[in-house]
Amino acid sequence: MRVGVLTGGGDCPGLNAVIRAVVRKGVQEYEYEFVGFRDGWRGPLEGAAVRLDIPAVRGILPRGGTILGSSRTNPLKQENGIARIRENLASMGVDALIAIGGEDTLGVAARLNDEYGVPVVAVPKTIDNDLSATDYTFGFDTAVGIATEAIDRLHTTAESHMRVLVCEVMGRHAGWIALHSGLAGGANVILIPEQRFDTEQVCAWVTSRFRSSYAPIVVVAEGAMPKDGDMVLKDQTLDSFGHVRLSGVGEWLAKEIEKRTGKEARTTVLGHIQRGGTPSAFDRWLATRFGLHAIEAVRDGDFGKMVALRGTDIVRVPIAEATAKLKTVDPKLYDEAGVFFG
């Protein structure tokens, strides 16, 4: 059997660990051949591929990013996109695909498998941790660790100058990174997309913190929105999946805090720093296990499934189930953090 592997969407720490595990087990135990498609769905769409064997995956476990490259290419929006993918897979002798990605990449994978008969097994990847049907996605733990370290550093400079520091983190429409890093980093305010925030209340928390002779740290998710306004965006352009590029709420909020409280406020936008660098031990462990179980699903012919973490077990669930809705922060979890606000 010849198996194709691709990594789509945003880059993510742990992608290389999945590729390594898939190839190592597939070659050693099943004697499969592997083709690595370049740049997400662009690879099978255009026939851009490289050979993957054991020497090709040596030394990549601790590396961030992906050796295959990634992109937000949407083959469903390309002229004859599905037909071109099927033709290229057939001409290259590829019998099955392992698609590693988030909501958009796996949405395409589900349609290819369910509607067009392309055998696909999916692996969930996103720093946002917003895919349903799995407890965690790899990349999330690394992103939280990076954001937490940044918040720790912001505390010292904030207190040196007694100013407000607003830290904007990624997560799109889910507040997992903001909640976990904000709680771990001792933030005084955490704002998430799942609950619109009252700017006056934020300013009250900030003022309360100054009364205690400490400088406040505000952690805000890029998709958070004020109660009395719309989502704050610096860029209105859309990607091929119709998503806006989020960012801007941190800068907007810092200006509002400074205007309403008279206290100096600065913004730090972590952005792609959260996606880069070496993956954490947990993400390497999880990504490796996902890879091992993904190639087992291929061997079993159990296509249309995504490997998922449930407790400490790796299970298989329909890809469509994992992409049906976003996994967002439970209000009860957010309420737990509220005791530390202000």
Side-chain angles (χ1 to χ4, degrees), residues 164-242:
V164 186
L165 285 182
V166 178
C167 180
E168 180 184 300
V169 299
M170 285 181 164
R172 295 201 62 79
H173 303 294
W176 295 107
I177 295 176
L179 180 63
H180 281 238
S181 64
L183 197 59
N188 312 113
V189 183
I190 302 170
L191 307 175
I192 62 175
E194 290 85 348
Q195 296 196 29
R196 286 178 175 260
F197 62 86
D198 183 337
T199 308
E200 282 299 322
Q201 178 62 70
V202 172
C203 291
W205 284 325
V206 164
T207 302
S208 173
R209 181 70 173 175
F210 276 118
R211 289 199 199 101
S212 303
S213 298
Y214 286 99
I217 302 292
V218 179
V219 174
V220 56
E222 61 186 358
M225 292 183 288
K227 283 184 177 179
D228 54 353
D230 298 321
M231 185 175 292
V232 181
L233 300 171
K234 289 197 294 186
D235 188 343
Q236 299 287 341
T237 59
L238 304 178
D239 65 18
S240 62
F241 290 92

Side-chain angles (χ1 to χ4, degrees), residues 11-16 60-67 275-279:
D11 64 297
C12 180
L15 284 167
N16 288 323
I60 68 172
L61 177 63
R63 286 177 56 181
T66 164
I67 62 169
R275 311 179 78 98
T278 188

Side-chain angles (χ1 to χ4, degrees), residues 124-141 144 174 176-177 180 282-283 285-286 289-290 306-317 321-322 326-330 333:
K125 166 244 54 162
T126 170
I127 67 168
D128 303 332
N129 197 41
D130 60 358
L131 274 176
S132 298
T134 185
D135 290 349
Y136 287 98
T137 55
F138 68 86
F140 171 68
D141 184 71
V144 168
W176 295 107
I177 295 176
H180 281 238
F282 178 83
D283 281 340
W285 171 86
L286 180 58
R289 293 192 69 202
F290 276 165
M306 183 191 83
V307 292
L309 180 68
R310 298 279 178 85
T312 57
D313 296 328
I314 305 296
V315 301
R316 301 173 190 169
V317 298
E321 177 184 331
L326 289 180
K327 182 179 71 179
T328 53
V329 173
D330 187 317
L333 287 177

Side-chain angles (χ1 to χ4, degrees), residues 103-176:
E103 174 194 7
D104 297 322
T105 301
L106 301 193
V108 173
R111 291 194 61 184
L112 280 174
N113 186 92
D114 298 345
E115 299 178 26
Y116 301 103
V118 178
V120 182
V121 169
V123 176
K125 166 244 54 162
T126 170
I127 67 168
D128 303 332
N129 197 41
D130 60 358
L131 274 176
S132 298
T134 185
D135 290 349
Y136 287 98
T137 55
F138 68 86
F140 171 68
D141 184 71
T142 303
V144 168
I146 292 168
T148 301
E149 181 182 355
I151 295 165
D152 288 345
R153 292 174 182 273
L154 290 175
H155 274 291
T156 58
T157 186
E159 290 171 9
S160 294
H161 294 273
M162 289 304 288
R163 60 165 64 118
V164 186
L165 285 182
V166 178
C167 180
E168 180 184 300
V169 299
M170 285 181 164
R172 295 201 62 79
H173 303 294
W176 295 107

